[in-house]
Amino acid sequence: MPGRKKEQRKAPMSKTPVHVLRTKRGKDSNDDTEDVSLFDADDEVSRRSKKSKIRHPVASFFHLFFRVSAIVVYLLCELLTSSFIACMVTIILLLSCDFWAVKNVTGRLMVGLRWWNQVDDDGRSHWVFEARKVSAQGNKGSSEAESRIFWLGLITCPMIWVIFAFSALFSFKVKWLAVVVMGVVLQGANLYGYIRCKVGSRKNLTSMATSYLGKQFLRQTVAKDDQTAS
């Protein structure tokens, strides 16, 4: 009898876990259906993070390091040293390193663009402008953050050197004019080359410029007509 009582006491205990397990399984099945949407959201977040992530930090650093250093040395060279030759050599070296790094390394890694000069068998020189092809999935291989860093440094620094050129010309600093012209030429060459890579041929570049000017002229004429009508 005591053995039967123990079995009767154990019997109700064996029923409750089965019910609890069933309810847990039902919850798990509902959770699985909800987890699919959560995983989709995680995929979207990961895609956004990949776009905003810098994939080539070393290339991004040296893309700005040489050109910013050349500008800083130009601004502070008279305060740091009185030797014009030392300042000139330092700036030209920084500009040369920047030209090589941007043309051969950072443009290819950060935005998938490159340009170079090629000599054919007949001895004729040809300029080649290439852009990385987009894959079937739409992956360009470069993030938006790297693209912004690349184009911001590529466009801003030549404009600063142009300002330096006008300031050296109007202040009659003839000895600095050669250094400033070197900065404009080297960084302007990279800017022109990568714009050609981005836009395409020279015909596309001129067509884009003419279409932009045409749109601006059309807007001005429409605005004038509206003013006269009012």
Side-chain angles (χ1 to χ4, degrees):
M1 293 297 291
R4 291 180 181 177
K5 290 181 180 180
K6 290 181 180 179
E7 291 177 356
Q8 291 177 357
R9 290 178 183 177
K10 291 180 180 178
M13 293 296 292
S14 62
K15 292 180 181 179
T16 53
V18 173
H19 180 68
V20 172
L21 289 173
R22 287 178 181 176
T23 55
K24 286 184 179 180
R25 287 176 183 175
K27 291 182 180 179
D28 292 336
S29 62
N30 294 328
D31 291 339
D32 291 338
T33 57
E34 293 178 357
D35 286 340
V36 174
S37 61
L38 291 175
F39 291 150
D40 293 337
D42 293 337
D43 292 337
E44 292 179 358
V45 172
S46 64
R47 290 174 184 174
R48 292 177 182 176
S49 63
K50 287 181 180 179
K51 290 182 179 179
S52 60
K53 185 179 179 181
I54 298 176
R55 298 181 181 179
H56 306 93
V58 178
S60 302
F61 172 76
F62 282 104
H63 177 72
L64 298 175
F65 174 74
F66 291 118
R67 50 184 53 211
V68 173
S69 299
I71 293 172
V72 172
V73 171
Y74 177 80
L75 293 173
L76 302 178
C77 61
E78 293 182 353
L79 299 176
L80 298 176
T81 181
S82 59
S83 177
F84 169 74
I85 296 176
C87 295
M88 182 182 67
V89 171
T90 304
I91 294 171
I92 292 176
L93 284 175
L94 290 172
L95 290 173
S96 301
C97 293
D98 172 74
F99 178 80
W100 183 88
V102 174
K103 179 180 177 295
N104 298 316
V105 181
T106 61
R108 178 174 54 85
L109 294 177
M110 297 175 69
V111 291
L113 304 174
R114 64 176 181 174
W115 62 276
W116 73 94
N117 183 267
Q118 184 178 0
V119 180
D120 57 8
D121 297 334
D122 297 332
R124 295 179 181 178
S125 178
H126 299 281
W127 292 98
V128 183
F129 305 93
E130 285 189 349
R132 181 184 297 160
K133 295 182 180 179
V134 182
S135 62
Q137 297 177 355
N139 296 324
K140 295 181 180 180
S142 60
S143 62
E144 293 180 357
E146 287 182 345
S147 179
R148 291 175 183 175
I149 292 172
F150 179 82
W151 290 109
L152 181 64
L154 193 70
I155 296 172
T156 304
C157 292
M159 295 174 62
I160 295 175
W161 284 109
V162 171
I163 295 172
F164 289 163
F166 282 106
S167 64
L169 182 64
F170 290 118
S171 61
F172 299 103
K173 294 181 179 179
V174 182
K175 64 180 181 180
W176 289 105
L177 191 60
V179 179
V180 173
V181 169
M182 183 70 68
V184 174
V185 170
L186 290 177
Q187 296 192 356
N190 269 326
L191 178 60
Y192 176 76
Y194 282 113
I195 288 176
R196 286 285 304 273
C197 293
K198 186 72 176 179
V199 175
S201 62
R202 188 177 296 177
K203 294 181 180 179
N204 294 332
L205 186 62
T206 54
S207 63
M208 287 182 63
T210 53
S211 62
Y212 176 77
L213 293 175
K215 290 179 181 179
Q216 294 297 324
F217 180 74
L218 182 61
R219 288 178 183 176
Q220 290 179 359
T221 53
V222 170
K224 288 181 181 179
D225 293 337
D226 293 336
Q227 290 178 358
T228 55
S230 62

